[in-house]
Every structure is written in structure tokens, then in C-alpha cells.
Amino acid sequence: MTTAATDTKATGATGREPWGARAGRLLRAVLSWPNAAALAVAAFVAAPLYWMAATSLKPPEEIGTHPPTAWPENATWANYRDAFTDNHFGTYLLNSVLVSVIATLLVLSLSAFAGYALARLPLRGKAPIMVSLLMISLFPTIALAAPLFLLMRDMGWLNSYQGLILVYTALNVPFAIWILRNFFQSIPKEMEEVAWVDGASPLRTVLSVILPQATPGVFTAAIFTFTACWTEFLIALTLNTADRYRTMPVGLALFGSQFTVPYGTIFAAATVSVLPIALLVLIFRRAVVSGLTAGAVKG
């Protein structure tokens, strides 16, 4: 009776926990050191993004004020309008979408079958192959710029979409194979054996049985590949010098002129360029964490 009376008093006559008790419990949870550390890291990461978005809404005369304003006193969308109308940012953005999406699809198509072969088939020299793939994925891009330029020039693919797509695919396939191979190893082999008993071909087994089970790994490889293609600068600057074929990072770097730097327009374009990556990570964050965890445990 005493315990029941105490519980009734704590939760109120309606059986619900009082607002003050809920707020206190939430505050204690937030102030615990793991949550406080996570919040501190999140604030450290989010602060530059917030400052970029806030500055993109400031008029030019407010951007250089001292002390700076945390939020624009006279917010305006003029910087976004200038980015798309005066600086052709829409063309750069569409080029990046086209190149990044096609390259990501090609990388997934190639790395899925290669990763499955390295994870399941009785191939000789798997260890040297995996080491070679890791070394290729870690090779500095700046060392490849000149050879790739000469290769694309001889093929006639300078200032083209296909040249950049081909290079991005080749550069990102090794890392995607590592991610998918590790994830394929975590899938029980009995599922494939059941499909073989039912008469499924190896191709049908991969498409209908393995890939649906490896969805988190596929999403992880896709997001990492898309991010790498979306933000790549040096190869895009080297291969595509014509304005109509420039991608978003190159076009953003060339904003302004010799005497003026449109900081507001640059911040507005940078804010737009960050949104696709942020949305992808927010929407598929569970799949990404699952894919990375599986790779870390099973690799």
C-alpha cells in the first residue's frame, strides 16, 4: 500500500509523470558525461555549418561587420539568386548530380559482383588482391592527375562527362569492394545453398538473395562513393576546363574576380552543395552505421 501510494503521488492522479519530473530526468540524462560529450562534438561539427548558412542570408554590408552578428539582421535571399543567375551555379550543380549519380551506379554494379567473388568464390590470391585494392584506394589523387589528363586527351574525352565518370568509377571501385566484401562475408552461406537447391543461378542468387540482405552495406558504399564524387576537385579541375562541363566544387572555387570576392554568394552556393550529403546521411544513417559496423566486425 505504501509503495502504491508513493507511485501514485509521483505520477499524479492521472497516472502520468509530472512535467517537472520528466524535465528533471531529461536534464540528468543530458548532463551525464557520455551524452554531454556527444552534444559537445555535435555542437563543434554543427557550428561551422550554422555560420555558413547564416552568412549566406546576410547582405554584403553585414558580412564584414565587427563584432559579427550571429543571425542576419536583414536576411535576404539575394545571395542565392546571384549564385544561380549570375554565376551559373545551377549548371555546375546539374553537372555534379549527373556525374556523381552515374559514377555511383557504376561503382555499385562493379563492386557488388567483385566483392561477392572475393567473399564467396574459391579464388587464389585473395589476400594480395585485397591488399592491392587497399593500396589503390589510398593512392594520392594528385599523383594521378597528369597521367589521367594525358590518357583522356589521347581518348578525346577532355571536357566531357564520360571522361570524369570513368575516372571517378575507377577511383572509387576499390574502396566499395572492401565495404561490400566484408558485408557479404557476414551473410550466412546457408541462404545461398538454399537458393542453389531451388535451382537459382549464381547471378539470380546474388541479385535476389545476397543483395537484399546486404542493403546496409550497399547504402554505405553508395553514400561514400557519392560523397567522394560530389566533393572531388582536383581531377574535375584538370579534365574539364570548359565552363559548361565544370562540376560544383570547381565552379564554386572560381566564383569572384580579381578584385572582388562575393562572400555571400559563395556561402549561399556552399550551403546548397552541402544539403544533398546532409540529407542522404540523415535519411540513411541507420543503414550506414549498420554497414560500417558489419565491415568492422567481419573484416
Side-chain angles (χ1 to χ4, degrees):
M1 292 295 293
T2 304
T3 303
T6 303
D7 294 341
T8 303
K9 183 178 180 180
T11 58
T14 60
R16 298 179 180 178
E17 188 179 12
W19 182 88
R22 290 200 304 270
R25 182 161 50 83
L26 178 61
L27 183 61
R28 287 192 298 272
V30 169
L31 293 180
S32 62
W33 74 265
N35 294 331
L39 287 175
V41 172
F44 180 79
V45 173
L49 299 177
Y50 167 80
W51 192 258
M52 177 179 65
T55 306
S56 69
L57 297 173
K58 295 180 180 179
E61 61 274 8
E62 190 178 346
I63 293 178
T65 58
H66 184 78
T69 55
W71 184 254
E73 298 178 354
N74 300 303
T76 177
W77 294 99
N79 294 323
Y80 290 88
R81 183 188 67 245
D82 294 341
F84 283 92
T85 58
D86 298 339
N87 295 277
H88 311 290
F89 186 70
T91 301
Y92 306 147
L93 200 62
L94 290 177
N95 290 340
S96 288
V97 170
L98 177 66
V99 171
S100 300
V101 169
I102 296 178
T104 300
L105 294 177
L106 289 176
V107 167
L108 293 179
S109 301
L110 297 173
S111 59
F113 292 104
Y116 176 78
L118 291 171
R120 287 289 194 256
L121 300 183
L123 302 176
R124 293 182 179 180
K126 286 186 179 181
I129 292 175
M130 295 304 297
V131 172
S132 300
L133 291 174
L134 181 60
M135 293 176 63
I136 293 172
S137 64
L138 297 177
F139 207 76
T141 307
I142 191 172
L144 301 174
L148 288 174
F149 176 83
L150 297 176
L151 178 62
M152 292 298 115
R153 185 195 63 182
D154 294 340
M155 295 175 63
W157 281 4
L158 292 178
N159 291 320
S160 66
Y161 297 118
Q162 63 268 24
L164 205 55
I165 291 172
L166 178 63
V167 172
Y168 283 175
T169 302
L171 292 178
N172 289 283
V173 160
F175 184 66
I177 292 176
W178 262 90
I179 294 177
L180 293 178
R181 177 254 185 185
N182 292 336
F183 204 90
F184 289 153
Q185 286 185 326
S186 67
I187 300 175
K189 197 171 184 179
E190 289 76 10
M191 300 182 64
E192 301 168 67
E193 295 174 350
V194 171
W196 295 338
V197 171
D198 291 339
S201 63
L203 179 60
R204 180 66 179 273
T205 301
V206 173
L207 296 179
S208 302
V209 178
I210 300 301
L211 286 181
Q213 295 296 320
T215 300
V218 173
F219 275 120
T220 303
I223 291 177
F224 272 93
T225 302
F226 183 84
T227 303
C229 298
W230 185 262
T231 58
E232 200 284 323
F233 175 80
L234 182 61
I235 298 298
L237 177 65
T238 303
L239 300 184
N240 290 355
T241 57
D243 192 64
R244 60 173 296 191
Y245 292 108
R246 284 174 179 161
T247 56
M248 177 269 303
V250 178
L252 182 58
L254 298 179
F255 274 16
S257 62
Q258 181 179 0
F259 302 103
T260 61
V261 179
Y263 290 107
T265 306
I266 292 174
F267 277 104
T271 302
V272 174
S273 66
V274 168
L275 287 179
I277 305 299
L279 291 176
L280 284 176
V281 173
L282 288 175
I283 295 173
F284 301 111
R285 62 187 183 278
R286 295 183 183 275
V288 172
V289 172
S290 176
L292 291 176
T293 303
V297 174
K298 297 295 182 181

